[in-house]
Amino acid sequence: MPDGSIMIDGTKQAQDHKLVGDLVLVGVVTAPHGVRGLVKVKSFTEEPSDLVAYGALSDQAGRKTFQLEIVGEAKGQLIARVDGIADRNAAEDLKGQRLFINRSALPETEEDEFYHADLIGLRTVLADGNPHGRIKAVYDFGAGDLLEVSLDSGGTTYLPFTREVVPVVDIVSGSVTVIPPAEVDAADVDGSDVAEEDAQ
């Protein structure tokens, strides 16, 4: 259910949470670490170290694989050794590399648990059944998951992914019921606040 049970954490780029064929994004290399080829990795799994629990990771095309060994953690990110990467220059080349795993390798979700990739593209409807919009992205800026919704009326709004605001998620029908909180006006939101936070 909402309130923290999404199994793959959010990130600040909408496209990063789309299911790419049978691949699901589970992490991204953010920077080199030291001079011996180690890298910093932002894990999107519920338990960060589970990033390497499901086997070799791949690029978005599924053509290139990456074998990671976690050697530490710093400031909320994993420090990892990548097979075949032995110096800082090679590690620098991996900066920004998104890491995917085959969906079939991931554990089945429990009842009321969802992968972010499952939510992207779902229709949002109001409690009275009227159409509302479509989920464009899922973010996590540290205060809980946030749904970016493209409104049918035009523009964008952001909704906290909590039981109160999102009481029903129906993956089978492809829709979620939303009850926008009073402070979230139905008027368009330009996303500038999110963009500013993302830039920090």
Side-chain angles (χ1 to χ4, degrees):
M1 66 183 69
D3 295 317
S5 63
I6 296 181
M7 296 184 69
I8 299 292
D9 291 339
T11 187
K12 299 177 184 178
Q13 297 184 11
Q15 67 271 22
D16 284 353
H17 283 290
K18 292 181 180 177
L19 191 63
V20 182
D22 291 326
L23 298 177
V24 175
L25 180 80
V26 290
V28 62
V29 177
T30 61
H33 179 78
V35 296
R36 297 187 178 182
L38 299 180
V39 295
K40 294 180 181 178
V41 180
K42 171 66 175 174
S43 173
F44 301 140
T45 55
E46 186 176 39
E47 178 60 43
S49 61
D50 283 349
L51 176 73
V52 297
Y54 310 115
L57 304 168
S58 74
D59 60 8
Q60 182 171 335
R63 297 192 187 98
K64 187 173 183 179
T65 59
F66 305 92
Q67 192 71 47
L68 272 64
E69 176 190 356
I70 298 172
V71 297
E73 187 173 344
K75 296 182 179 179
Q77 296 194 44
L78 301 173
I79 306 300
R81 179 177 292 109
V82 183
D83 191 36
I85 303 299
D87 59 51
R88 186 177 179 88
N89 288 338
E92 187 74 45
D93 290 340
L94 289 180
K95 184 176 180 180
Q97 175 65 58
R98 298 189 295 167
L99 304 170
F100 293 81
I101 193 72
N102 195 291
R103 178 61 181 270
S104 63
L106 295 172
E108 290 297 319
T109 56
E110 300 292 335
E111 184 178 1
D112 290 334
E113 284 186 333
F114 315 95
Y115 288 112
H116 278 189
D118 294 333
L119 300 174
I120 303 301
L122 295 185
R123 292 176 291 105
T124 55
V125 297
L126 299 175
D128 60 8
N130 284 325
H132 174 263
R134 190 171 295 274
I135 298 174
K136 181 179 178 182
V138 185
Y139 300 96
D140 182 359
F141 296 117
D145 293 294
L146 195 66
L147 304 180
E148 179 183 358
V149 179
S150 295
L151 297 170
D152 289 344
S153 59
T156 302
T157 192
Y158 297 85
L159 300 173
F161 190 68
T162 63
R163 180 183 291 276
E164 292 74 22
V165 177
V166 188
V168 178
V169 176
D170 190 337
I171 299 294
V172 175
S173 72
S175 67
V176 301
T177 300
V178 297
I179 304 175
E183 62 269 22
V184 177
D185 190 358
D188 298 354
V189 178
D190 63 13
S192 58
D193 291 341
V194 173
E196 289 174 5
E197 188 168 357
D198 189 23
Q200 292 178 0

